[in-house]
Each structure stands twice: as C-alpha cells, then as structure tokens.
Amino acid sequence: MEESSKFKRICVFCGSNSGNKQVFSDAALELGNELVKRKIDLVYGGGNVGLMGLVSQTVFDGGCHVLGVIPRALVPREISGETVGEVRIVRDMHERKASMAEESDAFIALPGGYGTLEETLEMITWAQLGIHKKPVGLLNVDGYYDCLLSLFDNGVDEGFIKPAARDIVVYARTAKELMIKMEQYTPSHQAIASHESWKKAQRELASSDEGPSLPW
C-alpha cells in the first residue's frame, strides 16, 4: 500500500560494506521498501556494493529514481559491475556532499563507518548553523548508534551542545518509525546564523563568481 510523503528525495548515507550481522542488510532492504512505498526517490553515495548496493537496488526495482553521486577516485572501489539509476561523477568529497545535500529533502544514516559518520555529522552541523532546515535521521539498527547518541547526550551535559540542538537528530530502530518521526520534524533550535543570511551570502558569492555553491 502506497503512502504519501512530504519528501520527494531522501539522501541515504550508509556503508560500502554490509557489516557482520544480517540485521544490517535487512534494515537496508526495509528502508528501500519504505521509500518505495512512499514514492520517495533516493540520493546516495553511488556505490553498488554493501548496504549502498542493497538500498539502491531496492529503490530502483521499486520504480523510484535513484541518483548516485560518487567522486571519480572512488569509482573503481565502490562500483563493481553494472550500476542502477543515474550516476553523477564529481571531483571530490566536498562536491559529493554538496551535490547530495542540494538534491535531497532529508537525510537518513544507516549503519556505516567513518564516511557515513562524517557525512551525517556534517549534515547535523549544517542544520545547527542554519544552512538547511532538513531533517537528519539515524536508523538505529540493533542499537548501532546507541554510543553516538550517548555521546551527543554527554555533549549536552558538558555544555558543548545546546539541548534544543540535540533535537536536530531524529532516530528510531525501524524505517517506518523513523519516517514518521522525520515527517513530523520541526526545527526547535535557534540556528547560529539564519537560513536567510546563508542564502543572501550565497547570492552575493554567485554574483561575484567566487567560492563554491552551498546546498539549499
């Protein structure tokens, strides 16, 4: 049964490995099916191995559009055999993240390694800064992100993260529950700089042909 969604495209960060537990692969398939059910297109890191391959193939087979964004240097490592959907090859990691963010209405992190964590934390930081107002969700499969969530809580306790900014991170143990929470998400934190000021700065940079574009 199809469900409507306010999101047209969601960016999924996840591992190029499958992990050591079957539950991680099951979660990638579950998330892919949840996106299909809601007619949400996928933006992801472009690889067809590991969890990336599972979620992208599921969404593609379900009839939704798939956009993979991958730096040229990673093509030999993360793409094996035929790809699915549209593949956009970019110069570097910075362009990859900016392109993925620009194309997406929200972000979800499946379990993954350093790359998944770095990408997700940057989207959380951009939300805190006011660069975007898009939901950022952690699919906390089998408690994978429990330690990270505890670290965020400790950041609040120690005075490095404001309590309202802690709520930037949406999390749940199932794809369906996470999607419901993200659909209901409204930013409650005060951005360090207003979203409008970032947009104004971007327009000024664009008119002077200086600096990279920012993701809106």
Side-chain angles (χ1 to χ4, degrees):
M1 180 177 177
E2 294 178 347
E3 299 181 17
S4 60
S5 173
K6 69 179 183 181
F7 305 126
K8 294 182 179 179
R9 295 173 298 275
I10 287 183
C11 175
V12 174
F13 302 125
C14 58
S16 56
N17 295 307
S18 297
N20 295 329
K21 299 178 181 179
Q22 181 62 36
V23 68
F24 298 138
S25 295
D26 293 343
L29 297 173
E30 178 192 20
L31 177 58
N33 285 321
E34 193 67 30
L35 295 179
V36 170
K37 184 168 66 174
R38 296 169 183 269
K39 293 186 176 181
I40 300 173
D41 295 332
L42 172 69
V43 179
Y44 81 116
N48 63 357
V49 294
L51 299 187
M52 285 198 291
L54 290 175
V55 70
S56 61
Q57 188 69 57
T58 301
V59 173
F60 182 78
D61 289 346
C64 294
H65 185 261
V66 172
L67 171 62
V69 184
I70 185 168
R72 185 173 300 278
L74 292 182
V75 170
R77 181 176 180 83
E78 294 188 356
I79 295 183
S80 174
E82 294 185 9
T83 60
V84 297
E86 177 185 355
V87 178
R88 181 182 300 170
I89 298 176
V90 295
R91 292 171 297 180
D92 53 37
M93 294 296 289
H94 299 293
E95 187 177 351
R96 181 195 217 181
K97 286 181 290 187
S99 181
M100 293 168 76
E102 184 177 10
E103 295 285 351
S104 305
D105 302 317
F107 310 93
I108 291 176
L110 277 162
Y114 290 143
T116 300
L117 292 171
E118 187 270 339
E119 291 166 331
T120 305
L121 287 170
E122 184 149 5
M123 294 307 111
I124 294 169
T125 302
W126 287 359
Q128 179 179 247
L129 291 172
I131 294 175
H132 71 74
K133 299 180 180 180
K134 304 171 183 179
V136 182
L138 299 180
L139 189 49
N140 192 23
V141 183
D142 199 33
Y144 183 79
Y145 283 116
D146 283 352
C147 291
L148 181 61
L149 292 167
S150 294
L151 179 62
F152 295 157
D153 291 335
N154 189 57
V156 174
D157 293 341
E158 298 293 348
F160 291 103
I161 299 174
K162 295 184 183 299
R166 170 65 177 81
D167 294 335
I168 290 171
V169 184
V170 182
Y171 58 94
R173 290 182 177 267
T174 68
K176 183 175 182 178
E177 182 185 1
L178 183 60
M179 287 301 307
I180 292 171
K181 287 185 174 183
M182 291 178 67
E183 293 273 6
Q184 297 171 345
Y185 172 80
T186 300
S188 61
H189 67 285
Q190 183 174 357
I192 293 175
S194 71
H195 185 61
E196 290 69 26
S197 68
W198 287 104
K199 292 172 67 176
K200 179 181 178 182
Q202 176 61 20
R203 288 194 299 269
E204 292 173 351
L205 283 172
S207 64
S208 63
D209 294 325
E210 295 179 6
S213 62
L214 294 174
W216 311 124

